[in-house]
Amino acid sequence: MRLFLASYRFGGFADRLAGLVGTPGRVAVIPNACDAWPAAWSSAVTSDLKPLQALGYSPEVLDLRDYAGQPARLERVLRGYPLVWVRGGNTFVLRAQFARSGADSVLPALLGEDALVYAGYSAGACLLGPDLHGLETMDDPGEVLPATGNAPQWDGLGLVDRPLVVHLDSPTDPDGESAKLLARYRADGTEHWALTDTDVVLVDGDHTEVLRG
């Protein structure tokens, strides 16, 4: 299994993503964490496509809403990509869209086969933890039902064994909610990874490394 989990885009380690993937090629960009914000959706997508293109990748938008109830079709499509890129937004909305499309079973299976690399940042990284409890202070679960028609789910995909705290000391978190969540995990004795916007968690087979920018 190959994972590149960041607080913000590539963190300070675009070269290490390239090392996981090999020669840059097609990338399936999954933007569904932004589905509760239709007015900002297109600009959010564009803001991710351009940095990927600048590094030599060929990004293509893969909207999970187009695959609702069609996990077999989603699997066939994803097998054509060496890399998926899952951007930030609302983690609960993203979790619901993974459930609706079957991506929550399809992607773990493909990763288990080492058929592709998963790169995710912010919500796209937090989704892979054991559960989403605590993130409600940063992402609004109330956005899920209007955006997806489903109730919020509180389980993560469980592909990593601990939650991630993202955007530490970041201008994207002016109220310091990430620092409050970090304090909660420390007080509870919960194992976690705390990431600034330049940090990355990299998983390559049995090897897990926290890269500090």
Side-chain angles (χ1 to χ4, degrees):
M1 183 167 61
R2 290 171 291 161
L3 309 174
F4 182 92
L5 307 178
S7 175
Y8 186 70
R9 293 200 177 133
F10 307 101
F13 298 96
D15 59 326
R16 297 296 299 272
L17 175 60
L20 279 184
V21 177
T23 304
R26 298 176 71 207
V27 183
V29 175
I30 297 177
N32 297 97
C34 296
D35 286 352
W37 314 324
W41 201 90
S42 293
S43 61
V45 172
T46 300
S47 74
D48 272 18
L49 298 183
K50 290 183 177 179
L52 286 162
Q53 290 166 342
L55 291 172
Y57 296 96
S58 300
E60 302 169 16
V61 175
L62 193 155
D63 188 342
L64 293 179
R65 292 175 293 187
D66 296 336
Y67 297 87
Q70 302 177 70
R73 176 171 166 249
L74 177 63
E75 179 184 348
R76 288 194 299 272
V77 171
L78 284 173
R79 285 189 180 279
Y81 293 95
L83 170 65
V84 296
W85 176 268
V86 186
R87 66 154 289 132
N90 186 315
T91 311
F92 297 98
V93 172
L94 182 63
R95 178 68 184 93
Q97 299 295 35
F98 265 58
R100 291 180 70 230
S101 64
D104 56 355
S105 57
V106 169
L107 270 170
L110 293 175
L111 288 164
E113 295 176 22
D114 200 29
L116 46 71
V117 175
Y118 182 106
Y121 74 89
S122 193
C126 292
L127 178 70
L128 270 58
D131 67 74
L132 308 185
H133 289 92
L135 293 176
E136 66 275 11
T137 60
M138 303 177 72
D139 297 340
D140 183 5
E143 292 183 334
V144 176
L145 186 61
T148 71
N150 287 11
Q153 293 184 220
W154 293 84
D155 60 321
L157 299 192
L159 292 177
V160 293
D161 65 358
R162 65 198 69 188
L164 290 88
V165 180
V166 296
H167 303 311
L168 280 173
D169 303 319
S170 169
T172 64
D173 181 26
D175 297 326
E177 293 297 339
S178 57
K180 296 173 189 175
L181 180 58
L182 176 59
R184 171 178 161 180
Y185 285 152
R186 286 174 171 167
D188 293 345
T190 301
E191 293 289 335
H192 60 274
W193 286 307
L195 305 180
T196 70
D197 284 350
T198 57
D199 299 336
V200 169
V201 173
L202 187 147
V203 177
D204 187 1
D206 294 332
H207 178 69
T208 299
E209 184 177 359
V210 181
L211 309 174
R212 299 295 182 187

